[in-house]
Each structure stands twice: as C-alpha cells, then as structure tokens.
C-alpha cells in the first residue's frame, strides 16, 4: 500500500476516504447518524475546592458522600471528570481557538515547516509512521516548561520554527501554557485528596515537569462512520486537560460488562480531565487510566486544545508508601517518564494495552534481551 498524504483541504472534500484511514468494523464508530448515549461524569468546582483547602476545611474525597466521593469513584472506575470555576479567562480560550484556526487554515507546505520531531511539531495524521488505521486529524504539539530559565520556550518555538509572522501565536500559547500549568498543578490537589494523600504531595512531583501542549484539528469527513479522529487508547502521559469546541466527538469507555462508548457533551465553561498511564502507575493503579477515542463529523471540523502534564523526564515514577499495602501490592515497576516516552515514540503505538506491553518491554530491556514482540510494536 503506497504512502498517503493527509492534506485536510483535499481529503475533507473526497467522497471516498483512502484505505489507510479505514478502521476495522469492530473498532469503527457506529453508523453515521446513530445516537450515542452521553456519559454522566462528576464536575469539580475547582475554585471552591481550593478556597476550602486554603481555609483548612476538610474535604470528603476519600470515603464519604457528595462530590468528593463521586470524583474518587470516577477516578477509580474510568479516570475521567470535569472541572469548572477553573480561573482560565474565556478571552484567552477564544484567542487560543482563533490562533488554532489560523494555523490549520495555512497550506500544508507551510504547516510542514514545523514537521514533527520526537514528540513535538506538526503531524498530518501519522502518515510518516504508520500505514493503517490512520487517525483523521492533524496536530501541532510543542513542549512547555515551568522552569524559570524556560519561561519563553513556547513563544521562542513559534518564532524560531515558523517565523516572525507567528510571534503573536507564540505569545498566546505561551500564556495559555503558563495558565494550564497552574491549573494542572491545582488539579493534582483534588486527586491527592481523593487518594487520601497530603496537600502538595502530588503537586511537588510535577512542579518541575515537562508538559506538552497539542492543538488538534479534525477535518470534516464524508465517511465518518468508517474512520476515527483518534483510535481507542489510554494516554501514556500523567494528566490530560482538554477543552473541546461545541462540535463534540470525544467518547469514553467507562468499563464494566456490556459497557459501550459514551459521548462527552462539550461544555464551554469546563475542562475535561482524564488520567493517563503514568499517573495511574504513580497511584499504584488506584486511579484508572482513561480509555477514550475521538470520532469525526461529516459536516464540521472539530478542534480541541490539549495539555499533557508530565513529570520531569528523569523523575522516577514510584507510588507513595501510603498507596502500597497488603491489599494493594505494587502494580508496576519503577520507571522514568523518559523510558515510557521512548517506548511510545520509538517502539509502540499507544493503544488500550500500552502499559502491559511497556512493563514487559522494560523488564526485557533492562535485562538486555530482545524487546517485546507484540504485534503493535514498530520495527
């Protein structure tokens, strides 16, 4: 099968999509026009939570009633909730979307000036990496940092890679990443309370981390029932903070016998929070890594702004002692974020079983034996 170029301006008008983007029937979404039931998920009023915490009020996030218990149960069951009253300026969100639109309206050749590297840059689907079950999307990813010496990392990236015309865009996303870093660290306090950990215990783990920001663009597709914007997977990162536009398309599999994919209704005033593999390992499996996917629309483009919270590359991911006991023995070996990142970028296509194969791979890797030979591994 020959190589395909994902040029959204062309493919979004084609009646038949290339075979590389067709997903198997058992993984493809429901028939075009089918109604997908929405999932009911807890919503955290973050401003209220932080105000109570600052005042020294006790939160019932571990075993009682109310929203605290609902959040804890959601984290344990499917790793997914939303936050409101988060302090992100709606004007900044609007400008971030305007800049996202401006970037994706550019010709493919201009977007490719920021061609994807190890885990950053522009990607038109995964056409350079895989040749089947390709996602119907294009992305721009870039690193950000909370370290003072990297305070201009995002702004400098846009100017250095794309040119002076992108300075404003760089300034907007620099501000957005700074705000999202603060928000993500605040959300770790909610999760620490849900786990019964002390205030600041998780925040300190991520305070000097290496977050990644991603702008997702899912062009309209004439055959949306045959493809996916993003296939079923769990994020290998720690926490994902996502704001989606009003088109919708995010779906979650909550788990349990007979469970089906559920739609996540877009909410302009809320951020979706989903737990990833690294955070699940940090909690010794107490919190579940969220299994999710994105479907595409037959008439409208969909956009989302995605912020991935990660620890420092060389930080050892090991659960706090309070989360390991006779009823909860160690679920994962110690590893660094660098090791998992290398695995997913060079050896494995993230899916529903990333951590299982990573654990097998790293055990073999450390013994200097052959890498895992799972069918999903990339040679």
């Amino acid at each position: 099968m020959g190589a395909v170029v994902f040029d959204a301006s062309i493919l979004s008008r084609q009646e038949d999509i290339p075979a590389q983007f067709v997903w198997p029937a058992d993984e493809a979404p429901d028939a075009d026009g089918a109604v997908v039931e929405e999932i009911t998920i807890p919503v955290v009023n973050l401003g209220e939570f932080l105000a109570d915490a600052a005042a020294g009020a006790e939160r019932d996030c571990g075993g009682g009633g109310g929203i605290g218990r609902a959040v804890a149960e959601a984290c344990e069951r499917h790793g997914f909730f939303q936050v409101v009253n988060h302090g992100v300026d709606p004007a900044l969100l609007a400008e971030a979307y305007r800049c996202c639109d401006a970037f994706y309206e550019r010709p493919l050749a201009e977007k490719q000036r920021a061609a994807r590297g190890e885990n950053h840059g522009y990607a038109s689907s995964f056409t350079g990496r895989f040749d089947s079950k390709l996602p119907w999307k294009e992305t721009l990813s870039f690193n950000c940092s909370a370290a003072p010496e990297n305070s201009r990392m995002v702004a400098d990236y846009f100017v250095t890679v794309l040119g002076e015309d992108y300075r404003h865009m760089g300034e907007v996303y620099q501000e957005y990443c700074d705000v999202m870093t603060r928000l993500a660290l605040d959300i770790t306090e909610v999760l620490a309370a849900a786990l019964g950990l002390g205030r600041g215990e998780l925040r300190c783990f991520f305070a000097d981390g290496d977050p990644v920001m991603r702008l997702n663009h899912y062009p309209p597709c004439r055959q949306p029932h045959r493809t996916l914007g993003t296939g079923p997977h769990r994020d290998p990162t720690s926490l994902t903070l996502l704001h989606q536009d009003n088109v919708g398309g995010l779906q979650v599999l909550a788990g349990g016998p007979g469970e089906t994919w559920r739609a996540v209704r877009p909410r302009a005033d809320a951020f979706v929070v989903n737990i990833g593999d690294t955070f699940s390992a940090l909690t010794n499996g107490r919190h579940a890594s969220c299994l999710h996917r994105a479907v595409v629309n037959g008439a409208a483009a969909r956009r989302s702004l995605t912020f991935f919270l990660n620890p420092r590359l060389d930080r050892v991911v090991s659960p706090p002692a309070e989360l390991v006991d006779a009823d909860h023995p160690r679920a994962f070996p110690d590893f660094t974020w660098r090791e998992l990142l290398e695995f997913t970028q060079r050896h494995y296509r993230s899916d529903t079983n990333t951590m299982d194969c990573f654990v097998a791979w790293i055990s073999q890797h450390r013994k200097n034996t052959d890498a895992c030979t799972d069918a999903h591994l990339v040679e």
Side-chain angles (χ1 to χ4, degrees), residues 59-73 76 192-197:
R59 303 293 298 181
D60 187 13
C61 289
I67 190 171
R69 186 58 207 159
V71 172
E73 289 177 347
E76 293 162 6
L195 289 161
L197 299 175

Side-chain angles (χ1 to χ4, degrees), residues 123-146:
S124 54
S125 187
F126 289 146
T127 54
R129 189 177 176 197
F130 306 111
D131 58 12
S132 66
K133 298 198 299 185
L134 294 179
W136 192 267
K137 69 175 178 179
E138 50 185 341
T139 62
L140 178 65
S141 307
F142 42 92
N143 298 92
C144 36
S145 173

Side-chain angles (χ1 to χ4, degrees), residues 2-337:
V4 63
V5 175
F6 187 79
D7 188 334
S9 65
I10 297 174
L11 292 184
S12 61
R13 298 195 298 268
Q14 289 188 186
E15 292 297 333
D16 294 318
I17 64 175
Q20 293 91 331
F21 294 92
V22 176
W23 285 67
D26 61 340
E27 294 183 82
D30 296 326
D32 193 18
V35 176
V36 178
E37 184 178 351
E38 293 182 352
I39 188 172
T40 301
I41 53 175
V43 178
V44 175
N45 184 323
L46 186 62
E48 181 180 286
F49 175 89
L50 295 174
D52 287 352
E58 293 185 0
R59 303 293 298 181
D60 187 13
C61 289
I67 190 171
R69 186 58 207 159
V71 172
E73 289 177 347
C75 291
E76 293 162 6
R77 183 179 176 217
H78 51 65
F80 190 83
F81 60 96
Q82 290 182 308
V83 294
V84 297
N85 192 15
H86 42 65
V88 179
D89 188 346
L92 176 60
L93 268 170
E95 187 63 8
Y97 274 117
R98 193 197 68 77
C99 289
C100 180
D101 290 340
F103 177 79
Y104 286 117
E105 287 170 358
R106 304 294 171 92
L108 178 61
E110 184 169 345
K111 291 181 285 191
Q112 288 177 329
R113 286 161 50 191
R116 185 175 172 88
E118 184 81 341
N119 67 329
H120 63 275
Y122 172 75
S124 54
S125 187
F126 289 146
T127 54
R129 189 177 176 197
F130 306 111
D131 58 12
S132 66
K133 298 198 299 185
L134 294 179
W136 192 267
K137 69 175 178 179
E138 50 185 341
T139 62
L140 178 65
S141 307
F142 42 92
N143 298 92
C144 36
S145 173
E149 64 271 19
N150 295 324
S151 63
R152 302 289 300 165
M153 174 183 282
V154 176
D156 291 346
Y157 169 80
F158 275 83
V159 174
T160 301
V161 174
L162 291 167
E164 189 62 35
D165 290 346
Y166 288 80
R167 180 172 293 278
H168 173 71
M169 194 175 292
E171 294 292 344
V172 170
Y173 289 122
Q174 181 68 68
E175 180 181 358
Y176 189 85
C177 287
D178 292 344
V179 170
M180 294 307 294
T181 299
R182 183 273 304 166
L183 175 59
L185 292 176
D186 284 346
I187 290 171
T188 65
E189 301 291 7
V190 175
L191 295 167
L195 289 161
L197 299 175
R199 185 179 179 189
E201 188 162 351
L202 295 177
R203 177 185 288 266
C204 291
F205 184 83
F206 293 103
D208 59 350
D210 291 292
V212 172
M213 179 71 201
R214 178 171 298 159
L215 315 178
N216 294 309
H217 177 240
Y218 303 87
C221 178
R222 298 292 180 88
Q223 295 182 312
H225 59 288
R226 300 186 70 199
T227 191
L228 286 168
T230 302
H233 71 289
R234 294 179 172 89
D235 292 338
T237 50
S238 293
L239 296 180
T240 303
L241 278 60
L242 178 138
H243 193 278
Q244 57 176 337
D245 66 11
N246 61 3
V247 174
L250 178 63
Q251 297 183 349
V252 172
L253 193 66
E259 190 62 66
T260 60
W261 289 101
R262 304 288 187 89
V264 180
R265 178 191 290 269
R267 182 170 172 173
D269 66 338
F271 280 88
V272 168
V273 179
N274 68 263
I275 291 169
D277 288 336
T278 299
F279 193 88
S280 180
L282 181 64
T283 68
N284 197 34
R286 302 286 189 100
H287 282 181
S289 185
C290 178
L291 179 56
H292 58 289
R293 69 180 186 180
V295 299
V296 294
N297 192 282
R302 174 178 178 259
R303 308 150 304 157
S304 64
L305 308 174
T306 310
F307 180 88
F308 300 101
L309 181 68
N310 304 309
R312 194 179 65 232
L313 284 171
D314 60 355
R315 174 80 72 181
V316 176
V317 179
S318 185
E322 302 95 311
L323 302 182
V324 181
D325 55 36
D327 295 327
H328 301 89
R330 284 294 301 269
F332 305 95
D334 287 354
F335 61 91
T336 65
W337 167 233

